[in-house]
Amino acid sequence: MERDYRVKWAGGLRFVGTGASGHSIVIDGDKKTANSPMELLLLGTGSCACIDLVMILEKGRQKVIDAWVEIGGIRQEEMPKYYTDLEMHFVVKGIGINEKRVARAIDLAMEKYCSASAQMAALANIKTSYAIIEADTPL
């Protein structure tokens, strides 16, 4: 197994994580200067699912202009305080977006393609919802 990732202490409760891609991110256990590790879990899960959602919709020739996911989580009270429940609300903005395709794309992203949501689903119940916003201006 290659060890292509590194997390290096930067003082206090701050660390710098560098991925196999060579890109780095600051991580802060105090949340004073950067996201905490647990925040990054939610951001990673949301970005993974949203990337897959957009790719699936674009492949299906949907005219997506913008997309995002709003995420909330509940952690168990005792240590380790992992997430037990997540809510993910996807928003897709576009022109003539097909609601059935959005629902199917979310299902595919969450159940088949997004590795991060699959990992989170091992310990957490994940509930999804979505909204579609019709764009005012054509592409």
Side-chain angles (χ1 to χ4, degrees), residues 29-123:
D30 284 337
K31 302 183 207 176
K32 292 178 182 175
T33 60
N35 293 105
S36 73
M38 294 304 283
E39 289 175 324
L40 291 173
L41 279 175
L42 292 185
L43 292 173
T45 301
S47 60
C48 180
C50 221
I51 288 166
D52 290 332
L53 170 68
V54 169
M55 287 174 42
I56 292 164
L57 290 175
E58 286 182 339
K59 187 174 182 180
R61 297 195 165 110
Q62 296 296 291
K63 295 179 182 174
V64 178
I65 292 174
D66 200 358
W68 62 89
V69 60
E70 298 163 355
I71 307 170
I74 298 173
R75 295 169 63 184
Q76 73 172 8
E77 291 192 24
E78 61 275 353
M79 298 296 268
K81 295 182 178 184
Y82 59 82
Y83 288 103
T84 57
D85 295 275
L86 297 180
E87 287 188 4
M88 301 175 68
H89 180 72
F90 295 87
V91 181
V92 177
K93 181 177 180 180
I95 299 170
I97 300 293
N98 182 298
E99 183 175 352
K100 288 181 182 177
R101 288 192 181 192
V102 170
R104 179 71 178 139
I106 291 169
D107 287 344
L108 285 171
M110 297 300 293
E111 296 169 13
K112 184 174 181 179
Y113 295 111
C114 176
S115 302
S117 65
Q119 186 76 52
M120 290 295 278
L123 290 175

